[in-house]
Amino acid sequence: MCGRYVSTRRPQDLAQLFRVDEWPTTEALAPNWNVAPTDDVWAVLERTPRDDGGAAAPSRELRPLRWGLVPSWAKEPKIGARMINARVETVHEKPAFRRAFVKRRCLLPADGFYEWMPGKDPATGKARKQPYFIHPEDDQVMALAGLYEYWRDPAVTQDDDPAAWLMTCTIITTEATDAAGHVHPRMPLALTEDHYEAWLDPAHQDPDHLRALLGQPADGHLDARPVSTAVNNVRNNGPQLLDPISL
């Protein structure tokens, strides 16, 4: 699974990297070294304007979404805390994800992610989980394959009220490769740049073709290093969380 990750790039840098047409110049997320479920995260997605009859080309946007997908049919948004990941093997058929898989896909930029390896505390001998920071060896941004969804809050009466709509997302996971596989059997699935366009295109709706884009995770030559258990607490943040420790 992917339960925590790191996202510290500035929106203007992400906008250039992912060639977006629109991005918020006044609404910015702070750098986050301990992204946790239900946090707002940057997402790259493409949408076609709703008021042009479908004639216009989709626009690529960078915008904040809440991590933890809330299906449109959910009665309340708290279900999203359990929907932070979607398995690549079943994402096309699970009721919570299959509509978004066909129509609403995104990329979630990340510097890297955390996973935990079972072990023992050297001081006490008690069982504990050791966190590792896993990231590309060249420190390039990872483009995690994701889905997004709209949820309509029934407590808000007007459709045009921004508070009426909640946009949320989930990260697609796959079998771990590279150094990540030594830490945990699952990892977030990062796409290669040549697959960005097809993945984001809302007109691309063939499930089999989409699944083919997810056949192999991006070959990122990942590096994994042990880090402090301070990352276990979601209230802890800052670049010091990435400092390597000796085991």
Side-chain angles (χ1 to χ4, degrees), residues 47-58:
R47 297 196 301 169
T48 302
R50 299 178 62 184
D51 56 357
D52 68 351

Side-chain angles (χ1 to χ4, degrees), residues 2-3 17 24 28-29 38 41 49 51 94 97 115 148 153 164-165 172 198 219 223 231:
C2 176
L17 179 64
L29 300 178
T38 72
V41 299
D51 56 357
K94 291 292 185 180
F97 305 125
E115 281 298 353
Y148 72 96
D153 187 346
W165 298 95
I172 296 177
D219 185 13
D223 177 69
V231 73

Side-chain angles (χ1 to χ4, degrees), residues 11-191:
Q12 52 266 48
D13 295 332
L14 293 176
Q16 181 178 12
L17 179 64
F18 291 98
R19 302 184 181 92
V20 304
D21 304 309
E22 300 179 27
W23 57 282
T25 56
T26 58
E27 179 185 14
L29 300 178
N32 195 337
W33 287 268
N34 199 0
V35 179
T38 72
D39 283 351
D40 284 345
V41 299
W42 286 122
V44 179
L45 53 93
E46 291 188 0
R47 297 196 301 169
T48 302
R50 299 178 62 184
D51 56 357
D52 68 351
S59 174
R60 185 172 296 185
E61 305 176 11
L62 176 71
R63 61 183 305 157
L65 306 182
R66 196 174 82 171
W67 184 21
L69 188 139
V70 180
S72 60
W73 42 259
K75 294 182 179 180
E76 54 187 5
K78 67 180 182 180
I79 189 177
R82 305 196 304 272
M83 301 282 186
I84 62 171
N85 293 161
R87 294 175 65 92
V88 68
E89 297 87 349
T90 57
V91 65
H92 62 293
E93 58 189 13
K94 291 292 185 180
F97 305 125
R98 60 191 179 196
R99 288 186 61 191
F101 181 70
V102 172
K103 296 184 177 182
R104 288 177 286 277
R105 298 173 300 275
C106 62
L107 297 172
L108 302 170
D111 302 349
F113 59 97
Y114 298 104
E115 281 298 353
W116 283 257
M117 177 184 288
K120 290 186 177 180
D121 188 314
T124 65
K126 294 182 179 180
R128 75 167 190 181
K129 290 187 175 181
Q130 171 61 49
Y132 285 76
F133 177 58
I134 302 169
H135 63 102
E137 292 176 347
D138 58 6
D139 288 326
Q140 294 297 307
V141 174
M142 302 179 75
L144 307 183
L147 311 175
Y148 72 96
E149 189 56 276
Y150 298 93
W151 182 77
R152 176 68 167 85
D153 187 346
V156 181
T157 58
Q158 299 296 324
D159 274 351
D160 57 358
D161 186 335
W165 298 95
L166 176 66
M167 291 184 70
T168 59
C169 60
T170 191
I171 294 173
I172 296 177
T173 65
T174 187
E175 291 185 4
T177 60
D178 292 340
H182 299 294
V183 179
H184 193 275
R186 305 289 297 181
M187 64 180 282
L189 198 159
L191 292 182

